[in-house]
Amino acid sequence: MRLTTAIVASLLSVVVSAVPAANSQKNTCYTVHSGYIAVHPAGGNKPLTVSAKGDVLYGKPGKPLWVDFQACLNLNGNYPDEDIWTGRIVTHGKCLTVKNPTSKTQPYYVKLAKCASNTNPPISQSWRHGYGDDTGYVYWVGPASGVGYMGYMAKDDETPLVARGGVFQLGCDNTCVNL
């Protein structure tokens, strides 16, 4: 798996402090970072958009997706002292969701869907955010088969491979890059 030093579903504009906010309910997911989710072809930053059907797209016109990364303490892998979080990605009251998380083959497709839980998101809505080399990264935690963290499928210059209509794809069959 090849990684970039750019920030994933690249939380381009980190405007919310990574210091946990006080939860009104024990273990409720809470926002630790906010920004545009983007990819990094040829070292640039290109935002993802969404179709009328809720599919996450690359290379199509539309309003860039502003998201909140919410840490969920019931999920394993939260290290606040190191600014590494496992949780969900929320935009406009919906969660970034992998449509086919139980598929045994790649690619995996991403859409916006109703958030399933405020405390313990299912694997299809579980993401990882952290920092390496002073930049952020985001991955899907991966399929239930235990393959591991998944970035977006890309060409050698990190331009995303997309399905018909610009539908964004996750996986590591070719080059796998963090958002």
Side-chain angles (χ1 to χ4, degrees):
M1 179 188 306
R2 196 178 98 207
L3 306 177
T4 66
T5 58
I7 193 167
V8 78
S10 221
L11 298 173
L12 295 176
S13 303
V14 177
V15 296
V16 174
S17 171
V19 177
N23 293 351
S24 59
Q25 296 177 355
K26 186 176 178 154
N27 295 331
T28 298
C29 301
Y30 59 94
T31 299
V32 292
H33 292 287
S34 295
Y36 290 104
I37 191 162
V39 295
H40 319 289
N45 289 307
K46 300 285 184 179
L48 298 177
T49 59
V50 65
S51 73
K53 295 191 295 185
D55 291 317
V56 174
L57 307 175
Y58 169 76
K60 296 295 179 186
K63 187 175 181 181
L65 283 177
W66 180 268
V67 300
D68 293 322
F69 187 92
Q70 295 186 340
C72 301
L73 298 179
N74 285 337
L75 299 177
N76 291 329
N78 286 293
Y79 303 97
D81 292 342
E82 298 174 35
D83 204 16
I84 298 172
W85 306 96
T86 303
R88 63 187 189 170
I89 298 174
V90 180
T91 184
H92 303 294
K94 294 189 175 185
C95 283
L96 247 59
T97 304
V98 174
K99 291 167 48 168
N100 56 329
T102 59
S103 176
K104 295 190 186 319
T105 60
Q106 299 174 36
Y108 299 93
Y109 302 100
V110 183
K111 68 176 181 175
L112 294 182
K114 180 180 177 185
C115 297
S117 172
N118 289 329
T119 58
N120 195 14
I123 194 109
S124 63
Q125 295 180 346
S126 295
W127 300 82
R128 178 91 166 183
H129 176 276
Y131 282 91
D133 300 327
D134 297 321
T135 61
Y137 59 84
V138 176
Y139 290 102
W140 174 46
V141 297
S145 63
V147 173
Y149 301 129
M150 293 274 178
Y152 68 89
M153 297 176 77
K155 300 175 187 173
D156 288 339
D157 69 352
E158 299 179 2
T159 298
L161 297 173
V162 295
R164 176 184 239 160
V167 174
F168 191 65
Q169 301 179 118
L170 298 178
C172 290
D173 278 348
N174 190 24
T175 296
C176 179
V177 184
N178 62 283
L179 300 173

